[in-house]
Every structure is written in structure tokens, then in C-alpha cells.
Amino acid sequence: MIKNQTTISRVFLMSLSDNQKISYLLFIIFLLIYMMTFLTNFLILLLVLTCAHLHTPMYFFLGNLAFLDMSYSSVTAPRMLRHLATQHWSISFPECIAQMFFVIYFGTSEAFLLSSMSYDRYVAICRPLHYSQVMSWGTCTQMVSLVWSSAFFAPFMYIFFLRRLTFCGPNFIHNFFCDLPHLLQISCSDTSINVLVVIVVGSLLSVAAFVATFYPYAVAYRQYRQGTPLGKRKAFSTCTSHLIVVFVYYASITFIYLVPNTSNLLTLNQVVTVIYALITPLLNPLIYSLRNKDLKVALRRTLHIDGTRRST
């Protein structure tokens, strides 16, 4: 639909470096990061699926987060690596639209999933005796299904209103992947309605996800301070990893979409975008695995490493 209303067939992306040697160095670095991201998230997903003692709601959500991080990094990293290797920083317009769609979809899904994980920790801390009843497998499945399905709303709305625009150039965007704000900048139509839709839809979803993520922790922390039984301390300690992931996610999103994209901040914005798109999906599994004894035990069992047995 959009293709019929555009006079441009390709979009040129911002090069991370004009120096060929630096580009090859970045290619090696980002290739290693992408491989580590994919492998670590795949390992967590595999452990959650195969280890019986990880078949709990918390690890069910963590497995979904791992799959989400694999998917998100795969939307941007492979094409960026291709651009770095060939030094041809262009993408066809339909592919650009598709990439934008999935970037928004997976980003929205992560916000909703983090909210679900917050509610899970709230129930574990505030209602431990009823945890198995409240967070039943049916409830967890419904929550995750709602996360994956409701996240389609934002990108579908943006795509729907993009159909009214004409794209005639300039066909250069200041980013290494296609995102909605940059696409609106290369339109030669009036984008005021699209900007309004982005503000309204984005604000509603962001505020809802933000409140749903932090409010359960505020309630849980208050109850914890007011004489929560000592046995709940372990459940509360598991919140630390999740809160680190949440703060990294929202800090990156805030800088990328709320800080003005001026010439003075262009390089910094590009660095933060790289961190959000490539580094954050790698940090998530590392943060959880380094602080989680259950995952370490599951990994040892999977690799047949037993500390109590020595080879003779």
C-alpha cells in the first residue's frame, strides 16, 4: 500500500564509519556481540524448556524474554553486519517498512513482558501462600499471549497512518536501521497527524507499561518494609536482576526517543541506539544468569558438570 505512494525505492542509512578499516573492526566486534547474544539467549531458552526445576512462572517469563531478545537483535544486527562488510548502507523501501514494524513490535512486547514479570514478583512477595494458585500455568499462558498479541497494536496503527503519506525524499535517515521517527522525516507530506498518533499511542502504551512495571514493586517494597516475613527475602532478592533490566531498557528508550536529535547529540544518540539494539539483548541474559543460582545449576547439569565428582 505504501509502495504505491512513494517515488523512492531505496533508503540510505547512516554509516557507522566511513573508514573501511574501522568498518571491518566494527564488523568483527558486532558479529561477536550478535553471536554471543543469540547463543546466550538460546541457552537460557533451552534450559527453561528442558530443565524440570525451571518450569516455574518466573522462568517461563524469562524464557519468553530470551526469545524476544533473540528476535529483536536478529531484526537489526544481520543487516547492519552486511552493511559494514559491503559498505553499501541502503535498504529497499518495503524492507525498511518491515524492519520498522518489527523493531516497534519487539520493543513494545518487551515493555509489556517486563510488566508481567513485575506482577509475578509482586505475587511471590506479597502473596506467597497463594502464589501457585494466582500464577497458575493458565494465567501465565494468558498473560504471555496477551503480551505477544497486544504488542501488534502500535505498529499496525503506525503502518495504517503511514499509508496516507508520500515519500519522495531525501531518502537518507540518520540511523543504522529503519525506525518510525526517521521515516517521517523523509516524507514530503504533512506528517502532523502521524506525529499526533505516535504521541498519543506511544504515550498511552508507555505510561501503561511503566506504571504496570513499577507499581507492583512499590507495593511489594512497602509491604516488605512493614514487617514482611524473613522467608520472603529470597523472593525479593530476585527482583534486583529484573529491576536492572528494566532501568537499562527505559533509560535507553528515553534517550533515543525523548532527547532531541540535534547535530551536537547525533553521535551520542547513535551510540545509545547501538547499545539499545545490540548490547541490551546481550546484557539481559548475562544479568539474569550471573545472579541466578538456579540457572547456574541447570547449566552445570546440562553440561554434565558435577562439582562433587572428580575424574579419575
Side-chain angles (χ1 to χ4, degrees):
M1 292 292 184
I2 299 175
K3 186 177 181 180
N4 294 332
Q5 300 181 38
T6 179
T7 59
I8 62 176
S9 59
R10 300 194 69 82
V11 175
F12 291 90
L13 307 174
M14 174 178 282
S15 172
L16 293 179
S17 176
D18 296 327
N19 187 298
Q20 191 171 18
K21 293 183 179 179
I22 295 179
S23 295
Y24 288 154
L25 178 60
L26 291 176
F27 173 84
I28 296 174
I29 294 174
F30 291 149
L31 177 61
L32 292 175
I33 292 175
Y34 175 63
M35 291 175 62
M36 289 179 61
T37 299
F38 196 91
L39 290 176
T40 51
N41 281 290
F42 179 77
L43 181 59
I44 288 181
L45 182 60
L46 182 65
L47 292 176
V48 171
L49 291 174
T50 58
C51 297
H53 73 284
L54 297 182
H55 292 173
T56 63
M58 184 179 76
Y59 293 106
F60 176 67
F61 291 122
L62 182 57
N64 276 270
L65 180 62
F67 180 78
L68 185 59
D69 285 332
M70 290 168 56
S71 302
Y72 185 90
S73 60
S74 297
V75 172
T76 57
R79 178 166 287 278
M80 184 198 66
L81 292 171
R82 176 185 172 185
H83 294 326
L84 283 170
T86 62
Q87 284 296 295
H88 296 300
W89 289 84
S90 67
I91 182 174
S92 70
F93 192 77
E95 289 176 323
C96 185
I97 295 295
Q99 187 180 56
M100 178 215 70
F101 179 92
F102 286 107
V103 164
I104 297 174
Y105 172 68
F106 289 127
T108 306
S109 298
E110 181 161 350
F112 291 166
L113 186 61
L114 292 175
S115 303
S116 301
M117 297 173 75
S118 296
Y119 180 74
D120 171 69
R121 292 298 84 200
Y122 159 77
V123 177
I125 296 169
C126 298
R127 303 182 62 185
L129 299 179
H130 302 90
Y131 180 77
S132 58
Q133 287 79 22
V134 176
M135 298 302 296
S136 63
W137 281 113
T139 301
C140 293
T141 302
Q142 291 175 1
M143 290 175 66
V144 169
S145 299
L146 184 61
V147 165
W148 288 100
S149 58
S150 59
F152 276 110
F153 175 74
F156 268 129
M157 286 289 293
Y158 300 151
I159 290 289
F160 177 80
F161 281 93
L162 276 179
R163 297 171 61 232
R164 57 180 292 275
L165 301 180
T166 301
F167 294 87
C168 53
N171 57 341
F172 177 82
I173 64 176
H174 295 277
N175 203 356
F176 70 93
F177 65 86
C178 294
D179 205 357
L180 182 60
H182 303 96
L183 274 173
L184 293 180
Q185 291 175 0
I186 65 173
S187 173
C188 50
S189 303
D190 181 12
T191 60
S192 56
I193 295 179
N194 297 77
V195 172
L196 180 62
V197 170
V198 171
I199 293 175
V200 173
V201 175
S203 299
L204 289 176
L205 295 180
S206 299
V207 171
F210 185 85
V211 172
T213 300
F214 285 98
Y215 180 74
Y217 277 120
V219 176
Y221 182 73
R222 183 176 60 185
Q223 182 168 333
Y224 182 78
R225 289 292 300 271
Q226 293 176 351
T228 304
L230 194 61
K232 296 180 182 178
R233 182 168 298 176
K234 181 180 179 181
F236 194 84
S237 65
T238 61
C239 300
T240 306
S241 299
H242 181 244
L243 283 173
I244 294 175
V245 171
V246 168
F247 278 118
V248 170
Y249 172 82
Y250 278 101
S252 302
I253 287 293
T254 300
F255 189 91
I256 293 172
Y257 292 103
L258 296 184
V259 174
N261 195 16
T262 62
S263 58
N264 295 330
L265 296 175
L266 189 59
T267 301
L268 183 58
N269 187 278
Q270 195 173 21
V271 171
V272 175
T273 303
V274 170
I275 292 175
Y276 173 70
L278 298 178
I279 309 299
T280 301
L282 174 61
L283 288 178
N284 290 350
L286 292 180
I287 291 171
Y288 277 105
S289 60
L290 291 176
R291 297 185 54 86
N292 194 295
K293 294 182 179 179
D294 291 335
L295 282 176
K296 294 178 182 177
V297 171
L299 180 59
R300 293 192 188 100
R301 291 178 179 177
T302 301
L303 298 177
H304 303 291
I305 300 175
D306 190 346
T308 63
R309 298 174 57 184
R310 297 178 181 274
S311 58
T312 59

